[in-house]
Amino acid sequence: MFSGFSGKACADRIVDSQSRVLITMDGYYRSGSMQDQKEKGDIAADDAAAQGHKVEKVLIWQRHPGTYSSKSLPVPGRDYIVNDLLPKYRGHRSRRKRWPPRRRCS
């Protein structure tokens, strides 16, 4: 979620693209003060749900790893702190998915 979007603007993009996952961060600095980005993510997910599209997962990057910088608490079952998930997958390789060959336009 780009920090310049309001929660409503992000919700509109989620609904238009039928996104199932929202990637955001807990907070960021603007003019020297910490801004609550997760709050905008919650507004986006809630507004998208009100428009009939549910966000299944919200992935939250921490501005300061190990320190959660938002006043908005993670929603159980929906929100995941990326920094907490990464150690589980460090060193693992995913299987490559084979895509069907693309047809060339003539």
Side-chain angles (χ1 to χ4, degrees), residues 7-85:
K8 169 75 173 117
C10 186
D12 292 343
R13 286 162 175 80
I14 289 169
V15 172
D16 287 347
S17 64
Q18 297 295 293
S19 298
R20 298 181 328 204
V21 178
L22 174 63
I23 302 172
T24 190
M25 63 187 314
D26 55 358
Y28 63 96
Y29 287 101
R30 175 173 245 151
S31 299
S33 64
M34 180 62 80
Q35 304 297 309
D36 193 341
Q37 181 68 10
K38 169 66 167 64
E39 179 182 43
K40 291 180 185 178
D42 287 343
I43 292 168
D46 292 345
D47 195 46
Q51 294 182 51
H53 181 75
K54 181 182 176 187
V55 173
E56 295 172 17
K57 291 184 176 34
V58 176
L59 302 179
I60 306 164
W61 286 91
Q62 291 175 316
R63 175 66 177 89
H64 300 287
T67 303
Y68 188 68
S69 301
S70 174
K71 293 177 185 170
S72 303
L73 296 176
V75 175
R78 184 195 75 182
D79 297 356
Y80 299 89
I81 307 292
V82 173
N83 303 73
D84 295 343
L85 298 175

